[in-house]
Amino acid sequence: METQRIDERLIEEIEVARLRCDRFVIVESLPYFAQLMPNHRSLYGEVISDTYLEGPDRLSPRQEQRLIDLGWGPPGRPCHPACPSSLHPNYSMTWPATTASSHIARDLLAGLLVVMAGRGEGGQAFTVKSLVRTTEPSSGVAPRH
């Protein structure tokens, strides 16, 4: 999928998911992914961490630091002070519900490109998909994921 097309498709899927907050959106190039889980007053995103990666697919310290520099919270840190979940195995980011879908898509793609950096050419093709949520969205500032 061409870069411009990925961006357009990702923005479209984010817009649909935000309507009722009943879907989540994933952009991936396996084994790497970034995902968004919208809530009514906040949006929650993740980028894969070494928790789910093995061997040569694992992230370098430089990649990990780059994610943090881009604003992604490290694994193990709650995504919000009032987060109801104790599970945070991936890099995470939250955005206010007023954030433009194009901005969120840019952050998700930037995170995905950072974790893919060790792959070089020849990685899996990008895919964008949206699936039904298994958790109810929150209506408060703290996201549910």
Side-chain angles (χ1 to χ4, degrees), residues 48-127:
I48 194 168
S49 74
D50 280 347
T51 302
Y52 301 108
L53 297 171
E54 296 179 359
D57 295 328
R58 293 177 69 82
L59 306 177
S60 71
R62 186 174 180 196
Q63 288 169 296
E64 292 173 335
Q65 186 59 53
R66 181 69 180 129
L67 286 169
I68 292 168
D69 291 346
L70 288 171
W72 292 94
R77 183 192 300 170
C79 60
H80 187 278
C83 182
S85 176
S86 61
L87 183 64
H88 292 88
N90 293 313
Y91 290 87
S92 63
M93 185 181 291
T94 57
W95 302 267
T98 56
T99 306
S101 295
S102 60
H103 179 96
I104 295 164
R106 184 183 67 231
D107 286 345
L108 291 171
L109 287 171
L112 181 59
L113 290 173
V114 167
V115 296
M116 291 177 58
R119 271 289 167 123
E121 292 186 37
Q124 294 291 317
F126 283 95
T127 58

Side-chain angles (χ1 to χ4, degrees), residues 9-10 13 23-28 127-131:
R9 173 84 194 284
L10 184 56
E13 293 296 342
R23 304 188 69 73
F24 67 99
V25 179
I26 298 176
V27 58
E28 63 188 6
T127 58
V128 176
K129 57 187 171 184
S130 177
L131 303 165

Side-chain angles (χ1 to χ4, degrees), residues 17-35:
R18 291 176 76 170
L19 290 175
R20 290 183 292 195
C21 301
D22 60 346
R23 304 188 69 73
F24 67 99
V25 179
I26 298 176
V27 58
E28 63 188 6
S29 175
L30 294 175
Y32 306 105
F33 70 84
Q35 63 184 355

Side-chain angles (χ1 to χ4, degrees), residues 5-22:
R5 177 102 168 94
I6 294 166
D7 187 43
E8 292 169 1
R9 173 84 194 284
L10 184 56
I11 292 168
E12 288 172 15
E13 293 296 342
I14 290 170
E15 290 289 324
V16 170
R18 291 176 76 170
L19 290 175
R20 290 183 292 195
C21 301
D22 60 346

